[in-house]
Each structure stands twice: as structure tokens, then as C-alpha cells.
Amino acid sequence: MTLKRRRSIRGIISMILFAAILGMAAPADTQGAEAKKAVLGDKKKPEEKAADAEDGAQADEEIKEDAAEEDKEVKEEVSEADGETEEDAEAGGEAEENLSEADEESSDAADDGAIMVPVPIYNYDIANVVIPTSYSVALNPYELPIKTKDGTVSSAQVVSQNYGIVNKSTRDKVVTATFTIEDENAGKIVFVGTKEEALNADKDTFAVYLSVVPADDTGIKIDGSDADKDTSDEALSNVTMNKAEDHAIVLSEGESQISFKLSRAVYEFGGSEEIVLDSEENADEMPVLTGLAADSGGITAFTFDGVMNPKADWSKLTKGVRISVTYDYDNAVGDEKIVEGTGAIIEK
């Protein structure tokens, strides 16, 4: 298309040049007449001369207009030819894109011929941390004798049962207990950081030293026996433990935390249970709990302890203290360090 258009433009230009040459080469007799007129002089009347001059000027104007029109047509033809050249270039670019897309489709067709092999991972992760379901704690400023659930009698100023935590999971766990302390006497109770502060406070200060004391590393008993895979959450509300008093966590109004690391329990695949290859079976339902971690590594315990200002008139208070306990747990990383002398407390 482009080559044909350029030939037509050259043809128009040639015709214009040929017409100009013809105009320059006037016939011989016409030249003779003009020469004769120049020698003899112009015999026309003034009116005729003026008319001839006007006709000549009009003819010149028509020639100029014709030349301008032809030049405009030539320019339009050239512009159209350039536009078509750009269109041809765009068409060439589209053709290249089509070829590229064809190559990609060919590559996709080759990929479609591959055989995909799904490879599942058969594993299991059972999370089962057992915590106490009930708590019994009392403030005893005048050291009255109080009998606990296990039959013992205590006259301590803070009397509490001992509470156990057991890990029956398939992985080691870090268990964090959060204690929230709230004074129900509109802030009249002052929580202090040491026993001495509470015991030496003046008579007008309702001072309390309250703490969480973890179990030491000598072991934990439930009704005189070791905890096992069947230990229930009710049984963990009253366990026997020895206190690691040197590692007590002081409780103040607001939140306080303590974290334990507990070893994973022992699981086995029971009976003839097995996984069929290429199946989508849930492996979590197949392992069977057979026991807790050895050496009491899967159980820990804690209790509440403290002292109160014996000189204060505690009868002026109509309410006590509210303790809220929440538990969170996560998989142990493996680099946790246990505080020496405790069964499971993690160093901070």
C-alpha cells in the first residue's frame, strides 16, 4: 500500500513540472506576433488596453490559485502517505506481539504435558494443657485457724490451696499465667513489695504483701500419687507441693505474670491404626496418650502466699480482694532456661 501511494505523488509532481515547461515554450507564431506588436506599437484604444490589463491580472490570480490548490493536494497526499506508513508500523508491532503470544502459548502447551505429583506431609500436633477449674484463697489478718480441702489447718495470713498445671500435648509448651489483682474497697488496700513493708506499716495503712510461689523441683503429688495421663482438671485444684519461696512473684494491683516450661507427653499409635498413602486422613485422631513426661517434667504447681499489717483495723473494710487468673500457652522454642531450684519457672 505504501509503495503505490508514493508513485501517485511522483506522478502529480511530474505533471506540474511538464505543464510549467509547456508554458515556457510558447509557439513560434505567437512569438512573432508579439515581436511585430512591439515594433509597430500597440494600436489599441486606452479602454481596450485597460480591459486587457485587467484580464491579464485575473489570469495571473487564477494561475496562483490553481498552483496553491495543487500544492495543497500534494501536501495532503504526502500526509496521508505518512499516516499510512505509521499504520503499517503499528501493524508490524501488533504482528510481533502476536508472535510473542504464540510462543508463550506454545510454552504453556509444553507445561501442560507435565505430570503434577502432590506430596502431602503427614504429621500431628495435639495441644492439651490442663489447668485448675476452681480456686480457694483467703486473707487472714488475725491468723485464725482455717482448715483447707486436704484436711490441713493453717493460721497463715494468706491461706491458699496449691494449684497444678499438666501438659498432655505432643509438644513442649510454655504456659503463662496472668494474675489480675483488684481491691474491692475503693483503693484502701496498699499492695507492697516486701513482707517487711507490710509488717512495719502504721496502724492506718491497710498494707498487704501478696505473692505467687512456684513449686520447687522435688515433685508434685495428687492424693499422695504422681500425676498421670488420667489426671483431671478438678484434681489440679488441690495438689501437694513444696514451695520455692526464694522465687516468689510479687503481685501488685493490676497484672502480673509467671511462665512455666512443661515437657511434652508420650504418645503412640494405637492398635492397627495406619495412614493410607494418598489419603487425606487426619493424623491427629490416631496417636494415643500413654503417659506424661518423665521425671515430672510435664507438671508444675503454684500457690498464693503473703502477710498483712497486723496493726491495722481490718474490720473497717467491708470487702476483700479479687484475683483473676488467665492462662496462655504456646510451643516452646527450645532455648528456654529453667530457674534453678524450681520445677519449671522460665528465666526472664
Side-chain angles (χ1 to χ4, degrees):
M1 179 181 294
T2 304
L3 294 176
K4 290 182 179 179
R5 178 68 65 182
R6 288 176 177 169
R7 288 195 190 99
S8 63
I9 294 171
R10 259 197 310 271
I12 293 170
I13 296 172
S14 299
M15 291 173 62
I16 294 172
L17 293 174
F18 182 69
I21 294 171
L22 289 178
M24 293 174 60
D29 57 349
T30 303
Q31 293 178 358
E34 292 294 332
K36 184 177 179 180
K37 184 182 293 186
V39 174
L40 298 177
D42 193 354
K43 300 295 186 177
K44 290 184 179 182
K45 297 179 180 180
E47 295 83 359
E48 291 178 350
K49 290 181 180 180
D52 290 342
E54 184 177 351
D55 291 340
Q58 184 174 357
D60 290 342
E61 185 65 27
E62 290 178 355
I63 290 172
K64 290 179 180 179
E65 290 178 357
D66 291 341
E69 184 66 26
E70 289 176 354
D71 184 59
K72 179 180 179 182
E73 290 178 358
V74 170
K75 289 181 178 179
E76 288 178 354
E77 292 288 342
V78 172
S79 176
E80 290 179 5
D82 291 342
E84 291 179 359
T85 301
E86 292 178 359
E87 291 176 0
D88 291 341
E90 291 178 359
E94 292 178 359
E96 290 180 358
E97 290 179 2
N98 292 336
L99 287 174
S100 178
E101 291 176 359
D103 291 340
E104 291 179 0
E105 291 176 358
S106 176
S107 176
D108 291 341
D111 291 342
D112 292 341
I115 299 175
M116 303 300 294
V117 181
V119 182
I121 298 177
Y122 292 124
N123 56 26
Y124 61 90
D125 185 9
I126 299 173
N128 183 11
V129 176
V130 186
I131 59 176
T133 56
S134 63
Y135 299 83
S136 299
V137 185
L139 299 181
N140 185 27
Y142 300 125
E143 301 180 356
L144 301 174
I146 298 175
K147 186 177 182 178
T148 61
K149 291 181 179 179
D150 60 4
T152 62
V153 177
S154 174
S155 60
Q157 288 186 310
V158 176
V159 181
S160 174
Q161 299 286 141
N162 305 322
Y163 309 100
I165 304 172
V166 171
N167 183 22
K168 295 184 180 180
S169 306
T170 57
R171 299 184 65 178
D172 296 348
K173 297 293 182 181
V174 172
V175 182
T176 300
T178 301
F179 304 93
T180 303
I181 309 301
E182 178 185 356
D183 174 20
E184 297 184 306
N185 299 281
K188 293 180 179 179
I189 294 179
V190 178
F191 294 94
V192 296
T194 66
K195 291 181 180 181
E196 289 72 20
E197 287 181 78
L199 295 174
N200 297 325
D202 62 67
K203 64 182 181 61
D204 296 322
T205 302
F206 297 103
V208 176
Y209 168 79
L210 187 61
S211 65
V212 171
V213 183
D216 65 11
D217 55 4
T218 59
I220 297 165
K221 300 292 183 180
I222 300 176
D223 294 330
S225 302
D226 292 335
D228 58 28
K229 65 182 182 64
D230 298 319
T231 297
S232 66
D233 49 6
E234 293 85 359
L236 294 176
S237 296
N238 182 28
V239 304
T240 302
M241 57 166 266
N242 294 315
K243 298 178 182 179
E245 293 183 305
D246 292 340
H247 302 289
I249 306 297
V250 179
L251 300 179
S252 57
E253 193 162 16
E255 290 188 355
S256 302
Q257 291 184 332
I258 185 171
S259 295
F260 310 90
K261 180 180 180 180
L262 300 178
S263 301
R264 65 180 180 273
V266 180
Y267 279 80
E268 295 179 358
F269 286 95
S272 60
E273 293 288 343
E274 56 190 16
I275 298 174
V276 178
L277 188 62
D278 295 336
S279 69
E280 296 182 359
E281 296 183 45
N282 183 4
D284 285 346
E285 299 176 357
M286 302 178 66
V288 176
L289 175 63
T290 60
L292 302 182
D295 301 324
S296 299
I299 183 171
T300 191
F302 66 89
T303 191
F304 295 98
D305 200 357
V307 296
M308 306 173 69
N309 180 8
K311 297 187 290 291
D313 186 0
W314 292 94
S315 64
K316 292 182 178 180
L317 300 182
T318 58
K319 296 182 179 181
V321 172
R322 183 191 299 257
I323 301 176
S324 301
V325 186
T326 58
Y327 297 86
D328 296 292
Y329 58 84
D330 202 352
N331 293 331
V333 176
D335 58 357
E336 298 86 357
K337 293 183 179 180
I338 304 302
V339 175
E340 186 177 356
T342 72
I345 296 294
I346 297 174
E347 289 184 1
K348 292 185 178 180

